[in-house]
Amino acid sequence: MKLEYNVLWFDDRPKNVASAQEHIKLKLARMGFDLKLDCRQDVGSEEAIKNIFRKKDYDLLVVDYKLKEEDRDGSDLIKIIRRYCTATDIVFYSSETPAKLRSKISVDGVYCYNRNDLPANLTYIIESRLRKVLDLNQMRGLYLAAVADFDHLIDDLFHRLVNKVDKEKYIDEILNTTSSFYKKSLEKIEKLGGDKEIDKYTSLLSSQPKIQVLVKILNEIDDERLYPYINSLANYPDAILVPRNQLAHAMEKSCTQGKYVLKNSDKETEFNFDDFLNLRHKILDYRDTFERIDMYTK
């Protein structure tokens, strides 16, 4: 669940940029992100810099050109950073004009600004990047992740708090609440009767029984063009629904070197980049399957 925006900032006079840091903190808060600011006055050795990027990923790097005399200047630092951090946006600043500052470095993909213009320019960079992650599908993912995390937190609270109250009383409360929920669903089913539009009935089905009913309908239609797609739908629960449930109802436990460990109750599931790529391919395959079924049944 991406709610933090991580910034690594090199400046040996942090008071001089405190207002710029506060500015982007407020901007990020309005966009729903928490600024995690890693401020460093001492650059250290190349190995120390390498270790910084080995331990953590940053969304933005901000570097003062003129650091302390005993340290290397910003142009040397930027070359080392690019060696170990190739894709992150880097902002380079000083009291000089952007053009003059640009002439002092020979590294591509670096923004150069005057110190006085930092707040406005940092805001522009951050906004342009975050627009790419604040689309509909990202928000769906965010809410799925949030609900999964909240469900686990609620379960933890149940386990911790139930010993402070009458345990049997609240077990009965859970059973009664569950029974009431399903009773209302059954009453809704009974009231429908058999003369409504089909969407009134399909809305009662969760994803897996919905696909089972669809397969039965397609088999009854008995069109040979549909045979390969009916066979494909037989794998839909394992290919689509199982990963959906693993991603939607689990809490992120750890992420190390691109490998995510998700926890659901006592079960842990691992995903890496290749797994995500494979899932994307499956989604595309099944989108094509449904489009073909739609085309052949019109």
Side-chain angles (χ1 to χ4, degrees):
M1 182 166 55
K2 176 64 174 173
L3 293 174
E4 297 177 350
Y5 192 89
N6 296 291
V7 177
L8 175 61
W9 198 307
F10 287 98
D11 195 315
D12 59 303
R13 294 158 293 178
K15 290 183 179 179
N16 291 348
V17 290
S19 61
Q21 292 171 352
E22 184 64 21
H23 182 88
I24 64 171
K25 178 180 180 181
L26 294 173
K27 182 63 181 179
L28 283 164
R30 287 196 290 269
M31 298 182 75
F33 287 80
D34 184 21
L35 173 63
K36 295 298 180 183
L37 189 59
D38 185 355
C39 297
R40 296 176 182 254
Q41 299 181 48
D42 299 318
V43 175
S45 65
E46 180 172 342
E47 185 64 24
I49 295 172
K50 181 180 178 180
N51 286 332
I52 291 173
F53 298 110
R54 183 182 295 156
K55 294 177 181 178
K56 188 171 183 178
D57 292 327
Y58 292 93
D59 299 295
L60 179 66
L61 275 61
V62 187
V63 184
D64 182 18
Y65 174 75
K66 192 62 178 175
L67 297 169
K68 293 186 296 187
E69 291 183 4
E70 61 265 28
D71 283 324
R72 59 180 58 85
D73 68 18
S75 60
D76 291 332
L77 176 59
I78 217 76
K79 293 174 184 176
I80 297 172
I81 287 175
R82 265 293 176 245
R83 194 173 302 150
Y84 303 111
C85 184
T86 58
T88 304
D89 286 326
I90 300 177
V91 171
F92 209 108
Y93 66 92
S94 74
S95 58
E96 299 175 311
T97 65
K100 190 172 182 180
L101 184 56
R102 166 61 63 185
S103 69
K104 295 183 177 182
I105 63 173
S106 57
V107 177
D108 294 330
V110 177
Y111 297 93
C112 294
Y113 298 126
N114 180 274
R115 184 188 302 272
N116 295 329
D117 299 326
L118 267 181
N121 285 311
L122 289 176
T123 295
Y124 173 78
I125 292 171
I126 290 169
E127 281 186 336
S128 65
R129 296 298 178 267
L130 291 184
R131 282 195 195 101
K132 297 178 181 179
V133 302
L134 293 177
D135 62 14
L136 176 59
N137 286 329
Q138 289 287 345
M139 291 305 296
R140 283 173 174 163
L142 174 63
Y143 272 82
L144 282 173
V147 170
D149 284 356
F150 294 157
D151 281 345
H152 283 277
L153 292 172
I154 292 168
D155 286 341
D156 289 343
L157 286 171
F158 275 142
H159 285 291
R160 183 165 53 82
L161 297 177
V162 73
N163 293 320
K164 299 179 180 291
V165 294
D166 186 338
K167 183 175 180 179
E168 291 186 2
K169 173 185 174 182
Y170 282 95
I171 288 176
D172 288 341
E173 178 69 23
I174 291 170
L175 294 174
N176 289 334
T177 300
T178 305
S179 177
S180 176
F181 174 81
Y182 285 107
K183 182 179 179 181
K184 289 179 180 177
S185 297
L186 288 171
E187 290 174 351
K188 183 179 179 181
I189 294 170
E190 291 170 356
K191 288 179 181 179
L192 271 178
D195 58 350
K196 303 291 192 301
E197 292 295 327
I198 190 65
D199 63 313
K200 297 293 184 181
Y201 303 101
T202 56
S203 65
L204 300 172
L205 298 172
S206 60
S207 298
Q208 184 154 337
K210 188 174 291 186
I211 208 75
Q212 291 171 351
V213 175
L214 175 62
V215 168
K216 289 181 179 179
I217 293 172
L218 294 175
N219 278 322
E220 185 168 338
I221 291 173
D222 197 22
D223 184 333
E224 64 181 16
R225 295 175 300 175
L226 297 174
Y227 292 167
Y229 305 109
I230 293 172
N231 291 333
S232 176
L233 290 180
N235 298 320
Y236 182 82
D238 288 334
I240 298 296
L241 299 183
V242 169
R244 188 279 309 267
N245 291 335
Q246 289 172 334
L247 291 168
H249 303 302
M251 179 172 61
E252 181 181 328
K253 182 179 178 182
S254 65
C255 177
T256 306
Q257 296 181 334
K259 182 176 72 175
Y260 292 86
V261 178
L262 306 182
K263 182 179 180 182
N264 190 353
S265 298
D266 294 328
K267 186 177 180 181
E268 293 185 355
T269 308
E270 295 183 358
F271 288 95
N272 57 32
F273 176 80
D274 290 335
D275 295 323
F276 289 145
L277 188 61
N278 186 39
L279 290 178
R280 287 180 62 87
H281 289 160
K282 288 180 180 179
I283 289 170
L284 292 173
D285 288 343
Y286 276 101
R287 184 176 68 178
D288 180 66
T289 293
F290 287 120
E291 288 176 351
R292 293 286 179 171
I293 292 171
D294 181 64
M295 181 175 67
Y296 290 144
T297 53
K298 284 184 176 177

